[in-house]
């Protein structure tokens, strides 16, 4: 399910080149949607004074997440190795249940549809979905 | 094993009514009054067949599904996509009793069509993406939540008669 073909990699790189200029807005919107549509995810942010979806902390977190995604695009030939440290962070410090990676990935895809309706074709969708699943898997690598 | 999609799973048992806020009712009705069934339906089904290609197993009689362009141009896919939207329309018109409204459809999908109910969630996710693309910025987080809740009830009701 998560082996990226040459076509997947090409498609993701090309799409990312088009959209990365907006990566901060993409990340902020994806995190905001996650907090609204899947309120159980708020438990990971109980340390934020303001847990509302459009708070500065939420926006900043969205930016952080998308920087990670952008970094993963450059490392897609070996995500396990490339995301090793991020996996350690998520496994031992953050301890985010990996089910939530799917949730955030879904919301990233929704934002892509909202912001890039013509470019986010079914072919781009399938490759990006596979890529985000591969990133999620790499992030879960160190969990147990 | 295909991974499940992230449509919210419902905890409702058969004797517990789904409660809708006024915002949710208005939002769901508004979305369905604005989208064109013969555009959104075909787009959502075509997307599902591309993004989750194993779902093509249910459409072996549909002819050429070889690639995204073929799927998009396939008239049987388009027709079936529209049919699906009219099926959803029945749920929109019976928000307070989707489960009973869908009893026969659930039996049909289980007994005759033999559709794995996990696949309903996959189509629901594709429908969310297509509606998001149609509505753009108006598809806010709150609107998305209402729409996904509606689809979760639909998916749950369609799976109800499987045994």
């Amino acid at each position: 399910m998560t082996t990226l073909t040459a076509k997947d990699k090409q498609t993701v790189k090309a799409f990312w080149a088009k959209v990365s200029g907006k990566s901060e807005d993409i990340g902020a919107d994806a995190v905001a949607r996650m907090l609204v549509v899947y309120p159980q995810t708020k438990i990971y942010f109980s340390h934020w004074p303001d847990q509302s979806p459009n708070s500065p902390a939420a926006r900043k977190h969205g930016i952080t997440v998308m920087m990670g995604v952008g970094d993963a695009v450059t490392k897609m030939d070996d995500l396990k190795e490339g995301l090793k440290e991020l996996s350690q962070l998520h496994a031992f410090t953050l301890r985010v249940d990996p089910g939530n990676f799917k949730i955030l990935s879904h919301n990233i895809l929704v934002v892509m549809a909202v912001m890039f309706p013509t470019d986010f074709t079914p072919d781009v969708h399938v490759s990006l979905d596979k890529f985000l699943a591969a990133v999620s898997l790499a992030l879960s690598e160190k969990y147990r | 094993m295909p991974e499940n999609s992230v449509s919210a799973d419902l905890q409702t048992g058969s004797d517990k009514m789904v409660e809708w806020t006024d915002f949710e009712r208005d939002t769901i009705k508004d979305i369905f009054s604005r989208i064109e069934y013969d555009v959104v339906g075909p787009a959502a089904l075509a997307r599902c067949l591309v993004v989750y290609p194993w779902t093509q197993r249910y459409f072996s009689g549909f002819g050429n599904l070889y690639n995204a362009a073929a799927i998009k141009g396939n008239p049987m896919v388009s027709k079936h996509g529209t049919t699906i939207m009219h099926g959803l329309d029945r749920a929109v018109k019976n928000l307070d009793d989707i489960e009973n409204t869908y009893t026969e459809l659930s039996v049909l999908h289980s007994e005759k069509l033999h559709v794995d109910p996990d696949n309903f969630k996959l189509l629901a996710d594709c429908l969310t993406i297509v509606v998001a693309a149609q509505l753009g910025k108006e598809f806010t987080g709150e609107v998305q939540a209402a729409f996904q809740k509606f689809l979760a009830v639909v998916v749950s009701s369609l799976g109800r008669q499987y045994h």
Side-chain angles (χ1 to χ4, degrees):
Chain A
M1 283 276 262
T2 50
T3 305
L4 299 174
T5 63
K7 180 172 177 243
D8 287 326
K9 293 182 187 180
Q10 210 180 323
T11 302
V12 169
K13 286 190 170 129
F15 183 68
W16 185 251
K18 273 189 203 166
V19 311
S20 58
K22 294 252 182 225
S23 78
E24 293 193 353
D25 289 338
I26 294 168
D29 195 9
V31 166
R33 281 173 194 276
M34 181 183 77
L35 296 170
V36 170
V37 183
Y38 304 90
Q40 69 273 18
T41 58
K42 288 192 291 191
I43 62 118
Y44 291 104
F45 308 107
S46 49
H47 55 284
W48 289 349
D50 180 0
Q51 283 178 51
S52 65
N54 298 303
S55 67
R59 183 174 174 86
K60 180 161 179 274
H61 193 64
I63 293 170
T64 303
V65 165
M66 278 329 263
M67 274 176 53
V69 170
D71 188 45
V73 172
T74 68
K75 295 174 171 165
M76 65 169 80
D77 289 326
D78 191 353
L79 286 170
K80 189 169 134 179
E81 180 59 33
L83 300 183
K84 206 167 51 174
E85 274 132 27
L86 268 179
S87 182
Q88 276 161 357
L89 175 74
H90 283 76
F92 303 121
T93 309
L94 304 176
R95 289 177 292 192
V96 174
D97 188 296
N100 296 291
F101 300 148
K102 259 190 135 333
I103 289 176
L104 185 52
S105 297
H106 168 75
N107 286 297
I108 290 171
L109 297 177
V110 170
V111 172
M112 295 303 187
V114 166
M115 290 176 64
F116 308 98
T118 17
D119 291 308
F120 193 59
T121 61
D123 278 332
V124 168
H125 179 165
V126 61
S127 294
L128 189 59
D129 191 25
K130 287 176 72 177
F131 171 69
L132 292 174
V135 169
S136 302
L137 196 64
L139 278 179
S140 318
E141 193 52 42
K142 299 284 177 202
Y143 270 59
R144 56 177 176 174
Chain B
M1 264 297 257
E3 290 162 356
N4 291 334
S5 79
V6 292
S7 317
D9 281 314
L10 283 191
Q11 312 288 308
T12 53
S14 61
D15 49 2
K16 189 177 166 210
M17 283 265 294
V18 179
E19 285 174 27
W20 305 99
T21 64
D22 287 343
F23 173 81
E24 286 165 348
R25 277 179 205 279
D26 292 343
T27 297
I28 292 159
K29 287 180 194 293
D30 183 57
I31 290 173
F32 277 83
S33 73
R34 289 168 62 181
I35 58 178
E36 291 170 66
Y37 288 13
D38 59 5
V39 169
V40 167
L45 181 57
R47 191 168 284 257
C48 188
L49 295 171
V50 171
V51 178
Y52 309 107
W54 55 93
T55 58
Q56 293 172 24
R57 73 187 308 283
Y58 303 111
F59 303 102
S60 51
F62 274 31
N64 185 1
L65 298 178
Y66 186 64
N67 55 29
I71 290 168
K72 186 174 169 191
N74 185 311
M76 290 181 79
V77 171
S78 297
K79 181 160 180 276
H80 194 63
T82 307
T83 300
I84 290 169
M85 293 311 290
H86 287 289
L88 289 174
D89 187 77
R90 288 174 54 202
V92 175
K93 294 187 157 68
N94 291 282
L95 281 179
D96 290 313
D97 199 8
I98 294 176
E99 199 171 284
N100 285 322
T101 304
Y102 272 14
T103 302
E104 278 158 29
L105 268 178
S106 180
V107 171
L108 173 77
H109 282 76
S110 163
E111 304 295 307
K112 185 155 176 256
L113 305 176
H114 307 296
V115 177
D116 182 338
D118 279 352
N119 291 177
F120 302 144
K121 296 183 190 181
L122 302 181
L123 181 57
D125 278 355
C126 287
L127 192 54
T128 299
I129 295 285
V130 169
V131 168
Q134 288 274 299
L135 300 185
K137 287 268 184 286
E138 290 178 46
F139 195 69
T140 62
E142 288 77 12
V143 168
Q144 180 184 342
F147 190 64
Q148 289 195 200
K149 179 176 167 179
F150 168 73
L151 290 179
V153 175
V154 163
V155 163
S156 169
S157 302
L158 270 179
R160 197 81 188 83
Q161 302 302 326
Y162 279 66
H163 60 84

